[in-house]
Amino acid sequence: MSSKTVLWLVGTTLIGAMYVAASAFVGGDRRLLLVGNTTDAHRQFELSCETCHAAPPFADAQASGKALNQTCRACHDDDLEAANDSHPSSTFRNPRMADYWNRLDARLCTNCHREHRPEISLPGAVTVASDFCVACHSEGDQDVRRVRPSHAGLTFDTCASAGCHNYHDNRALYEDFLAGHAAMPALAPKPVHALTARSRTFQRATGAPLAREDALAPAAVLTDDAALIEWSASGHAAADVNCDACHAANLPAGATPEDVAAHWVTVPSTAACTSCHRPQARSFAKGRHGMRQHPRIAKPRDPRDSLEDLGFSGVMLGAIADWLSTPPVPGRMTVGEARLPMRPDVPAHRAIDCGTCHEPHGVNTGQAAVEACASCHDGDHTRAYFDSPHHRLWQAERTSQAPPGTGVSCATCHMPMTEVRGTIVANHNQNDNLRPNEKMVRPVCLDCHGLSFSLNALADAKLIERNFTGKPAVHVESPEWAARRFIEAEDDTGI
Amino acid sequence: MLTFTEEILLLLGDEDGAPLPIHQHAFECALAGAALMDLAFANRIDTDLATLVVTDPTPTGNPGLDRVLAKIGDRAGTTDTQTWIRLLTTEDAADIRENALESLVRRRILARRDKRFPWAFGSVRHPTVDDRAEGEIKARIERALLEDVPDPRDIALISLADACQILPGLFPDQAIENLAPRIARLRRMDLIGREVAGTISDIRQTIVRAARAQGQRYQKRLLTFSAAGVAAVVATVLAPRVPYPDRFASTALDDLWLGGFWQQWTGYLLLALSVAGLLCAMIVREKLAMRMVGSHRWRISHIVVGIACVLALFAHTGFRFGANLNAALMGIYLAALLSGALAGVVIGGLPRLRRVGFGNAGRLRRGLLWVHALAICPLPALLAVHVLAAYLY
C-alpha cells in the first residue's frame, strides 16, 4: 500500500471522525452515536439527547448519573405520585437502607431502567432480571416467604409477572383493596363506565344548538355543504362553537363577518384546538402519540454558541453553523415510525395531531374512539376488537339500544374519561394506564367487572390478544390470599 | 579510504538504497566479517586457527570499529574467529551497519531518505548520490580478478564478497563461471581474509540448515496461530450472542457486561492490546525492511496479540455488535483481525500452497495484507469517537 493511499485513507477517516465529533460537541445529527435502540417511549425524542443527558460534557460519572436521574424524576414524578409509588426513591435514601444499596441501589432510576439496552429491556423499560424482588425481600424480616405463609415456596420471578405486585404502581394491588374487592362478581349488575356515562349526557343549559345558517365564515366557504352539515351536527355546534373559533382563532368575541373573512385560516393549527382543550392537549403530550410536543423536550442545540466559544466568527461561523445545524425533533409522530403493527395501506408519513383522530368539522368523538384507532393500528388486539363483546356493547350504545357508558370503545380503556377539577375529559395519554396493565383496573375495569375477574383477564396475554373474547385462563390468587389473611387476622383478634 | 564495511554496504545496496536480495543472515555475517577485516588491516587484531587476539588496542578513530575492538579486547584472546563472527552477527550487525551508513552519508556517497511517513508504513532508505565510490570498488574487484598480483586489500574484499555470495550480483553468470578458479586462488592468498571468509562460509552453511529447520517450525507455528485467529474471529461473528443473565443473582458475566466498571476496563485492555498489536506489526516491518533477524518472533507475537484481542473483545462485548457507530467499529475491527489472521494462514501455508500448485498465493497474501491495513486505517478515529461518546453521554 503506497504512502499516498494510506494518507488518503487516514485523511478521509479523520474528516469523518471530525464530523462525528463536531456533531457530538457542536451540533448536527447524532443518530450515529446511539449505542442501542431507545425504548419505545423515549425514542420519540432520542435525537434530543439533552432532554435526558443534562450534565455538561465530560462531567464525572457521579454528576452525570445524578443529572440523568433528575431528568427521569422531572418527567415521571407526577405519575409516580399519582400511583402512590410503593418504592419511592426517597425511602432508599434513608441511611438505614444502606445495606440494600449494594444489592439493588433503588435510589437511582437508572439502576433498574437503563436506556439504550434493548437486549435486556423488559416491559416498562425494566433492565434488571424479572426476579429482582429477591434483592430485598428474601432475608430477615423482609423475607416474604417466611412472613407470609401464602408466599412460601413461591419464586421471585412471579412477584411482578403474575398480576400480584408492581414495583411502583400498586393502587389496585395493595392488601386492603384486594381483600375489600375480592368478592366482587365477574360482571356488575349494571355495567356502566360512570364517568363516560356522565360525559355523554351533556345537556345544554338553554337555547338551541347552532345551525347551518348560524355559521360565521366567508361567503366562499359557506358553499361547502359537506363541511357545514358535519359541523352543524357536531358537538362544537351544540356547544356554540362557531367556525371563527377555529378558523379565525385570534379574533376577539363579537367580531364581524368582515373581520372573520380577513383573518380566515383555511387549515387551522393544533393551537386552535389547544386554546380550548387544554387538559386534553396536556395529556396528549404525555402519551406516545404526542410526546414530541412535550415542553420538557430539549430544544435543538444552536451550534453558534459552541462555535463562538471555539473562536469562530463571521462568514465562517455562519457556514459551519448551517452545516452542523441540529435537525429538530420532528413535531409529530408518524405512522412509519411506529413499532406496533400498523395498517399497510396507511402512508408512512401520516402524522398524528388532533385532526388525525378527530375529523375537523364533525369532531365525532365516537368515530375518534374506535374507527380512528383502527385506521392506523393493525395488531391482533385491534383486529379482534370488532368481534369482541366489548364492541357489541359499543355498537348497542352508539345505536341508542343501550344507555350511555355501557359501550366499550378503544378509548374507554386506553383514553378513559377522567375528572379534572370537576370537568370530565378524556385522558389523551393513551399509555397512562397501559403498563403495567393493572393500572387500568381502578379507572376502567372495576366499573363493570369484579377485581378478581379483571386481574385474571389482564394477566392472560392470550385473552388480551383476543381482545377479551372468552374467559380468562389465568387465575391470580392474590385477592383470595388477601381476603383469607384478613379473616385469619380477625379470627386471631376475636373481632 | 573506505572501510571494508562501507565497501560491502555499497556493494549490497541498489541505487535506491534498498538491500539486494540476499539472505539476511548472510548480510549480517558479511558485515561482521568486514568489521574484523577492517581491524585486521588496521593491525589491531590477528587470527590463527584457534584464537583471535587483539595485537594493538589503540582506537582506530572509527567509532563502530572501536566498539568491536573493545569488545574483542575484553575477551582477551579466548575466542576463535568463528565464534566472534557469530557473536558480532547476532549482537552487533545492526550497529556496524548504522555506523557504516552514517559514515557514507557523511562522505556524501549515500543520502538518508526517511520514507517513514506515515511512519508505520515506510522505511529509511540510503540511495546512492555519488556512484563513483561504488564504481571504483567494482573496478578494483574487476582489476584484481584480471591482474597477476592484486593488492592484498582487494584480495580480502574479493574473499569476503565471494563468501557472502555478492559476486554473482556484480558479474554476469558466465563471467563468474569463468572467474571461479581465479577467485578460489585469490581466496587462498590472504590469511585473514581466508579465515574470515572460511568462517562466514561455514556459518552460512550452518545458518542455512538451521534457518531451514527454524523456518519450518516458524511456518508451522504461524499457520497454527493464524488458524486459531481465524477460528476466533469466525466464532465472534457466528457464535450465538451470550445471553444476559435472566436471574437477579449477580454473576461474573453480569458484572462484565452490565457493570460500567468492568466494561470500561475491558475496553481499555482491548485498546492496549490493539496498540501492542500495531507496535508488533511496525517492528516486523522494520526488521523486514532492514533485513534484520527476529521478524519471525515479532510476527508470531503480532498474531498472538490478535488472538488476545478477540478474547478481550468477547469480555468487552459478549460478541454483541451494538448499534450504529459501535456496530461499524466492531465490524471494521473484526475485518482487520480476520484479514490479518487469513494473511497469516497464507504466509504460514505458503510452501504447502506452492507444493499443491497454488501459484497465486503471493498475490493472495498481498491482497489480504492490503485489506488488513485498509481496515486498520479508520480504527483509531472510530475508537476515539467511541471512547469520547462514552464519556460525553
Side-chain angles (χ1 to χ4, degrees):
Chain A
M1 188 183 287
S2 71
S3 299
K4 198 181 277 183
T5 314
V6 173
L7 271 179
W8 269 105
L9 276 169
V10 173
T12 312
T13 313
L14 277 177
I15 290 169
M18 277 170 64
Y19 176 73
V20 176
S23 64
F25 292 102
V26 180
D29 194 340
R30 286 176 284 183
R31 259 172 293 203
L32 263 179
L33 295 170
L34 281 173
V35 293
N37 281 341
T38 319
T39 49
D40 293 352
H42 292 164
R43 74 185 280 261
Q44 303 260 357
F45 52 91
E46 67 183 3
L47 292 180
S48 174
C49 310
E50 288 74 23
T51 306
C52 298
H53 298 277
F58 300 107
D60 63 71
Q62 198 179 1
S64 64
K66 196 175 169 187
L68 195 61
N69 281 274
Q70 272 170 353
T71 58
C72 301
R73 288 201 298 273
C75 285
H76 294 283
D77 257 2
D78 288 348
D79 284 345
L80 290 172
E81 199 181 328
N84 194 18
D85 188 5
S86 332
H87 295 84
S89 60
S90 55
T91 301
F92 297 94
R93 284 199 287 271
N94 188 327
R96 281 183 297 180
M97 303 296 278
D99 267 0
Y100 293 101
W101 297 346
N102 289 331
R103 302 178 202 178
L104 180 63
D105 189 350
R107 292 172 299 171
L108 300 176
C109 313
T110 47
N111 283 336
C112 296
H113 302 278
R114 294 169 203 228
E115 197 37 283
H116 306 297
R117 300 299 293 262
E119 65 278 10
I120 52 169
S121 290
L122 301 171
V126 175
T127 50
V128 286
S130 57
D131 64 339
F132 63 89
C133 304
V134 75
C136 302
H137 293 285
S138 60
E139 288 174 14
D141 293 345
Q142 289 294 321
D143 188 348
V144 291
R145 294 165 303 186
R146 196 171 60 78
V147 299
R148 295 287 171 91
S150 57
H151 288 53
L154 294 180
T155 53
F156 282 95
D157 56 347
T158 59
C159 305
S161 65
C164 297
H165 300 285
N166 291 316
Y167 183 83
H168 292 297
D169 189 321
N170 288 303
R171 67 185 101 175
L173 297 177
Y174 61 94
E175 203 166 25
D176 286 0
F177 189 80
L178 290 171
H181 295 78
M184 285 175 76
L187 189 64
K190 285 185 179 176
V192 175
H193 190 257
L195 286 175
T196 307
R198 276 172 59 197
S199 74
R200 301 236 171 96
T201 51
F202 169 78
Q203 295 292 323
R204 283 183 64 79
T206 53
L210 293 174
R212 185 177 166 172
E213 298 73 38
D214 302 318
L216 186 57
V221 176
L222 290 173
T223 56
D224 187 346
D225 285 340
L228 286 172
I229 290 167
E230 281 179 16
W231 167 75
S232 58
S234 74
H236 275 169
D240 294 339
V241 179
N242 214 319
C243 311
D244 63 317
C246 302
H247 290 279
N250 294 326
L251 286 180
T256 62
E258 290 72 28
D259 291 337
V260 171
H263 291 87
W264 188 261
V265 177
T266 308
V267 183
S269 71
T270 52
C273 311
T274 311
S275 62
C276 294
H277 299 281
R278 225 169 265 285
Q280 291 92 330
R282 258 192 226 114
S283 58
F284 180 69
K286 288 181 178 175
R288 290 185 200 169
H289 285 163
M291 195 180 285
R292 287 179 173 168
Q293 292 165 21
H294 198 283
R296 283 193 191 277
I297 291 175
K299 298 287 173 284
R301 295 170 297 166
D302 186 356
R304 286 166 198 279
D305 297 341
S306 305
L307 289 170
E308 278 169 5
D309 290 345
L310 291 170
F312 288 96
S313 60
V315 180
M316 183 70 92
L317 185 142
I320 300 175
D322 287 345
W323 188 53
L324 289 175
S325 61
T326 304
V329 175
R332 296 183 296 171
M333 172 75 174
T334 62
V335 170
E337 293 171 282
R339 284 180 177 167
L340 289 174
M342 295 286 139
R343 287 170 62 104
D345 56 331
V346 180
H349 62 267
R350 184 174 180 181
I352 302 168
D353 60 16
C354 308
T356 312
C357 301
H358 298 280
E359 190 281 320
H361 292 110
V363 283
N364 184 339
T365 51
Q367 190 268 344
V370 173
E371 284 81 6
C373 309
S375 71
C376 292
H377 288 271
D378 197 29
D380 291 337
H381 179 76
T382 309
R383 274 188 261 124
Y385 169 75
F386 295 96
D387 294 322
S388 72
H390 283 165
H391 182 242
R392 283 195 289 278
L393 290 169
W394 172 247
Q395 282 180 310
E397 185 191 334
R398 290 200 75 188
T399 52
S400 302
Q401 291 169 26
T406 53
V408 183
S409 67
C410 306
T412 306
C413 300
H414 297 291
M415 294 186 178
M417 291 295 176
T418 51
E419 196 161 4
V420 181
R421 288 192 280 273
T423 308
I424 299 169
V425 292
N427 180 357
H428 279 62
N429 174 5
Q430 81 288 0
N431 296 98
D432 188 48
N433 62 7
L434 207 54
R435 284 215 175 83
N437 63 13
E438 292 87 3
K439 286 166 83 175
M440 197 179 277
V441 170
R442 287 185 75 166
V444 180
C445 307
L446 287 193
D447 275 17
C448 303
H449 295 285
L451 177 65
S452 280
F453 180 85
S454 303
L455 290 177
N456 293 344
L458 291 169
D460 186 345
K462 294 276 181 199
L463 187 65
I464 294 172
E465 208 170 272
R466 295 199 304 272
N467 210 309
F468 305 104
T469 303
K471 290 184 176 174
V474 173
H475 181 58
V476 178
E477 291 179 286
S478 53
E480 285 100 315
W481 288 352
R484 199 181 308 143
R485 193 156 180 265
F486 257 71
I487 292 165
E488 285 167 5
E490 284 173 358
D491 290 347
D492 289 346
T493 53
I495 297 169
Chain B
M1 189 171 63
L2 297 179
T3 63
F4 279 115
T5 324
E6 290 159 359
E7 287 175 338
I8 285 292
L9 267 181
L10 285 178
L11 291 175
L12 284 171
D14 67 7
E15 286 173 3
D16 293 329
L20 288 174
I22 69 161
H23 197 282
Q24 69 185 45
H25 290 290
F27 176 70
E28 285 163 355
C29 274
L31 290 177
L36 289 182
M37 279 183 163
D38 278 324
L39 290 172
F41 272 81
N43 295 320
R44 297 298 192 277
I45 59 169
D46 200 3
T47 179
D48 58 25
L49 290 175
T51 55
L52 187 147
V53 292
V54 175
T55 52
D56 178 3
T58 314
T60 60
N62 182 314
L65 292 179
D66 288 341
R67 277 194 289 276
V68 175
L69 182 61
K71 197 168 183 174
I72 296 169
D74 290 344
R75 295 282 186 102
T78 56
T79 311
D80 63 11
T81 310
Q82 195 172 41
T83 308
W84 271 117
I85 290 181
R86 278 181 197 281
L87 269 173
L88 295 177
T89 298
T90 50
E91 293 175 8
D92 298 276
D95 181 48
I96 294 167
R97 177 180 180 276
E98 274 308 307
N99 186 62
L101 282 171
E102 269 176 34
S103 169
L104 288 168
V105 171
R106 258 198 319 275
R107 289 163 188 260
R108 300 183 189 282
I109 296 169
L110 298 182
R112 185 183 167 87
R113 296 264 191 280
D114 195 342
K115 287 194 170 182
R116 292 193 293 185
F117 181 75
W119 63 292
F121 300 93
S123 59
V124 179
R125 294 276 173 95
H126 292 88
T128 308
V129 288
D130 180 0
D131 59 357
R132 282 176 301 180
E134 193 181 336
E136 205 174 288
I137 298 164
K138 286 178 182 172
R140 268 172 49 210
I141 291 174
E142 203 173 330
R143 271 201 309 276
L145 289 172
L146 299 174
E147 284 175 7
D148 282 345
V149 187
D151 184 82
R153 198 178 161 78
D154 297 340
I155 295 172
L157 184 63
I158 288 169
S159 303
L160 190 62
D162 185 47
C164 300
Q165 295 193 331
I166 297 171
L167 291 177
L170 303 178
F171 297 99
D173 290 349
Q174 188 59 45
I176 284 290
E177 212 172 288
N178 294 338
L179 289 168
R182 168 76 175 163
I183 292 168
R185 232 182 2 263
L186 289 177
R187 279 182 63 172
R188 284 195 294 274
M189 286 170 71
D190 173 63
L191 186 62
I192 186 127
R194 189 174 67 194
E195 188 63 32
V196 170
T199 304
I200 290 172
S201 240
D202 290 346
I203 290 171
R204 277 198 71 246
Q205 294 300 323
T206 313
I207 285 171
V208 164
R209 278 195 298 276
R212 195 169 291 149
Q214 197 186 24
Q216 284 168 351
R217 277 200 304 277
Y218 160 70
Q219 299 274 0
K220 201 172 172 183
R221 275 184 205 157
L222 188 65
L223 191 60
T224 309
F225 282 118
S226 302
V230 172
V233 177
V234 170
T236 307
V237 178
L238 299 181
R241 308 294 169 247
V242 180
Y244 284 108
D246 60 353
R247 287 285 172 267
F248 184 77
S250 181
T251 63
L253 290 183
D254 199 359
D255 291 340
L256 201 57
W257 294 316
L258 297 178
F261 175 83
W262 284 109
Q263 205 155 38
Q264 185 181 21
W265 285 104
T266 51
Y268 280 124
L269 173 68
L270 190 55
L271 184 62
L273 284 170
S274 307
V275 172
L278 203 61
L279 286 174
C280 286
M282 285 180 208
I283 294 170
V284 170
R285 277 194 65 85
E286 192 72 11
K287 287 197 175 283
L288 287 176
M290 296 295 178
R291 299 193 164 273
M292 288 154 72
V293 289
S295 68
H296 290 179
R297 221 171 28 234
W298 286 104
R299 187 176 268 161
I300 296 281
S301 306
H302 178 64
I303 293 169
V304 170
V305 170
I307 295 171
C309 283
V310 180
L311 297 177
L313 197 64
F314 170 74
H316 190 56
T317 67
F319 293 158
R320 291 178 197 85
F321 272 62
N324 303 313
L325 197 81
N326 286 356
L329 175 59
M330 182 82 165
I332 292 173
Y333 196 83
L334 285 173
L337 288 174
L338 184 64
S339 54
L342 284 172
V345 167
V346 173
I347 295 168
L350 212 54
R352 284 191 181 86
L353 289 170
R354 284 191 177 136
R355 271 203 299 279
V356 297
F358 189 74
N360 285 330
R363 192 180 296 172
L364 180 62
R365 177 183 62 97
R366 278 193 297 278
L368 285 167
L369 287 175
W370 202 88
V371 174
H372 189 51
L374 192 72
I376 285 169
C377 285
L379 280 181
L382 284 171
L383 275 169
V385 173
H386 173 73
V387 175
L388 279 177
Y391 282 103
L392 184 60
Y393 298 106

